[in-house]
Amino acid sequence: VELARQVAAELHARLVASGADPWSPYDFAVAEAKRRGIDVEPTAVGAAVLFVLALSAAILPIALRGTVERSLGEELGRTVHIERLGFNPLSLSASIEGLRVDGRGKEAPLLEVASLRARLSPSSLWRRAVIIPALKIEKPRLNVVRLAANRYNFSDIVDKLRAKPSSGAPTRFALHNFELIDGFIAFDDKPLAQRHKVEALRIGIPV
């Protein structure tokens, strides 16, 4: 949500600077569409609303992808790649395809996810909490390496997150249904020179 707010603020400032009227949402959307080379014709109010929603579904994922990659990369201390973001304003659903969190240096990727889909409940607004009715993750691949006693290839991420100052009260959160399909975990225990793996992992948790 915060990432979307930042991108929207940047988009708003750019359009205002170009002379667009922020108090006319339709004209505002048309100005951005024309800037991107999208032809727009006058139409009825209902169709205009659908146009604005369709435009946000088409533009927001493109505008947000780089911001999400940078923010996650700074948070984790890793390079993060996302092939495609998706957003549906009508169903309040979002998707990520081709997520990859690189390892350090020449290490194998720490995490790869083929697809992640989530839906946000409208009740999140008045309950002041993040309420997710459904979260689905397909083909996640996690590479874990034990480097030494109590040290792993992700230990620096844990240290980084623990070192962050508290931001106050924790975010209220609820997840009602979770599904993980075709997961894979590789575990390389270097001190013991042993390798282990979990394949075709499937988890379904309706709550």
Side-chain angles (χ1 to χ4, degrees), residues 78 99-104 106-113 139-147 151-157 183-190 195-199:
R78 295 284 195 279
L99 170 65
R100 187 177 83 243
V101 179
D102 286 344
R104 294 177 299 181
K106 296 182 179 180
E107 292 179 355
L110 176 62
L111 174 66
E112 295 176 287
V113 178
K139 295 184 177 180
R141 182 184 180 96
L142 178 63
N143 291 302
V144 179
V145 180
R146 188 169 81 99
L147 305 171
R151 296 300 297 179
Y152 298 85
N153 59 333
F154 57 83
S155 293
D156 61 308
I157 298 177
F184 179 89
I185 300 174
F187 180 72
D188 184 0
D189 192 337
K190 289 191 177 297
R195 293 175 181 266
H196 310 275
K197 63 181 178 180
V198 177
E199 298 180 290

Side-chain angles (χ1 to χ4, degrees), residues 9-200:
E10 293 174 2
L11 180 61
H12 179 276
R14 184 169 62 247
L15 287 174
V16 169
S18 68
D21 182 6
W23 295 102
S24 178
Y26 178 74
D27 293 338
F28 217 53
V30 169
E32 175 61 12
K34 289 183 176 180
R35 188 184 73 81
R36 294 177 178 270
I38 302 174
D39 293 330
V40 179
E41 296 182 2
T43 185
V45 175
V49 171
L50 292 176
F51 164 74
V52 172
L53 291 175
L55 188 65
S56 66
I59 292 178
L60 272 180
I62 298 174
L64 278 173
R65 190 179 68 175
T67 302
V68 172
E69 288 177 333
R70 287 192 301 272
S71 297
L72 285 177
E74 292 172 1
E75 191 78 9
L76 302 176
R78 295 284 195 279
T79 301
V80 176
H81 304 271
I82 295 175
E83 290 182 5
R84 183 178 180 275
L85 279 180
F87 172 66
N88 187 327
L90 294 176
S91 63
L92 292 180
S93 60
S95 64
I96 297 177
E97 295 181 10
L99 170 65
R100 187 177 83 243
V101 179
D102 286 344
R104 294 177 299 181
K106 296 182 179 180
E107 292 179 355
L110 176 62
L111 174 66
E112 295 176 287
V113 178
S115 173
L116 185 152
R117 303 180 187 280
R119 184 162 53 87
L120 182 68
S121 170
S123 64
S124 300
L125 296 175
W126 60 82
R127 292 185 178 180
R128 298 181 181 181
V130 179
I131 301 175
I132 300 179
L135 173 63
K136 183 177 182 180
I137 302 175
E138 296 185 63
K139 295 184 177 180
R141 182 184 180 96
L142 178 63
N143 291 302
V144 179
V145 180
R146 188 169 81 99
L147 305 171
N150 300 320
R151 296 300 297 179
Y152 298 85
N153 59 333
F154 57 83
S155 293
D156 61 308
I157 298 177
V158 176
D159 295 340
K160 182 181 177 69
L161 296 178
R162 284 180 174 176
K164 291 185 61 176
S166 174
S167 58
T171 301
R172 298 174 61 199
F173 178 86
L175 173 62
H176 295 294
N177 292 279
F178 173 72
E179 186 176 12
L180 185 147
I181 299 173
D182 198 16
F184 179 89
I185 300 174
F187 180 72
D188 184 0
D189 192 337
K190 289 191 177 297
L192 296 180
Q194 295 180 353
R195 293 175 181 266
H196 310 275
K197 63 181 178 180
V198 177
E199 298 180 290

